[in-house]
Amino acid sequence: RYALALSLLREGAYKESEKIFESLLKQNELIPYFIGLARSKFGQQLLEESISIYKKSLKLFPNDYSLTYYLSTTLIAAKKPLQALKILQTYLGTNKNATPLYFPAAQAASDSGRQALSYRFLAEYAFGNGQYKNSLQYINTALKATPKGSNQAAAHLARKREIEKQMSDSLGVLRQ
């Protein structure tokens, strides 16, 4: 039944998939079922209901990567970037290796008018994907958009040095 619900979801039969996911959740509260139900609601443009499902599921499965990702992207779609940003910053504060989450974090920061932070997240996204040159460009842009002498500027500068060191170390390995 799960496969059928997913097929219906992919085909845009959101109401039909919703019914199956609700039935599956009554039998067993599993993360994929919550995501499927919330995506069914999202497909029907019921963003608040989708958000509510993700929040409920995160209470049952705190700190889950997939639920955090889908909740944050749904909040961004619902024009609630500050909520998305808060959730993502909390998650990324304890899960530095969640590289894909830096991209919606950058979107949420940009949508909430925090451009320097957006570039910082893009730098982390690029860095996590091994794109050190792009990461350095983004961190430089973040530095330019941050008031000189601020704590954020100091943090960006420290991160810039780490990125440069990683680039240098990587080039050294390639030369050997």
Side-chain angles (χ1 to χ4, degrees):
R1 292 182 2 159
Y2 177 66
L4 174 61
L6 283 179
S7 295
L8 291 168
L9 185 63
R10 287 187 186 116
E11 294 297 318
Y14 302 117
K15 271 294 213 195
E16 293 83 358
S17 68
E18 175 186 346
K19 290 175 187 172
I20 296 172
F21 282 120
E22 285 175 341
S23 173
L24 290 168
L25 278 168
K26 285 178 185 171
Q27 294 172 15
N28 202 353
E29 291 185 328
L30 298 176
I31 291 171
Y33 300 166
F34 280 112
I35 291 172
L37 179 59
R39 290 182 63 207
S40 295
K41 298 286 189 180
F42 185 93
Q44 296 172 68
Q45 299 299 309
L46 302 171
L47 300 184
E48 291 303 321
E49 288 183 41
S50 181
I51 290 166
S52 178
I53 292 164
Y54 287 127
K55 286 182 176 180
K56 176 186 176 189
S57 60
L58 272 169
K59 286 180 183 174
L60 295 172
F61 304 99
N63 214 28
D64 181 78
Y65 171 87
S66 296
L67 294 171
T68 302
Y69 172 82
Y70 282 113
L71 173 58
S72 65
T73 57
T74 302
L75 285 166
I76 292 167
K79 307 287 188 225
K80 296 181 178 188
L82 286 173
Q83 287 182 37
L85 185 58
K86 182 180 177 189
I87 289 164
L88 289 164
Q89 284 180 304
T90 300
Y91 187 89
L92 290 167
T94 57
N95 299 282
K96 301 282 185 207
N97 294 328
T99 298
L101 289 184
Y102 284 106
F103 197 78
Q107 180 68 48
S110 178
D111 289 356
S112 60
R114 301 182 67 190
Q115 298 309 316
L117 184 58
S118 178
Y119 283 111
R120 172 62 185 262
F121 285 137
L122 288 172
E124 297 302 335
Y125 180 75
F127 184 84
N129 285 305
Q131 300 170 344
Y132 303 132
K133 186 176 179 182
N134 289 342
S135 181
L136 191 58
Q137 290 172 337
Y138 286 128
I139 203 72
N140 281 329
T141 304
L143 266 167
K144 290 177 188 172
T146 305
K148 288 181 180 9
S150 68
N151 289 340
Q152 290 96 359
H156 294 330
L157 190 56
R159 186 63 176 134
K160 177 182 176 180
R161 290 183 182 127
E162 292 171 359
I163 294 167
E164 289 171 336
K165 181 175 180 349
Q166 183 65 42
M167 285 178 70
S168 175
D169 291 351
S170 295
L171 287 173
V173 168
L174 290 174
R175 289 184 186 139
Q176 291 178 358

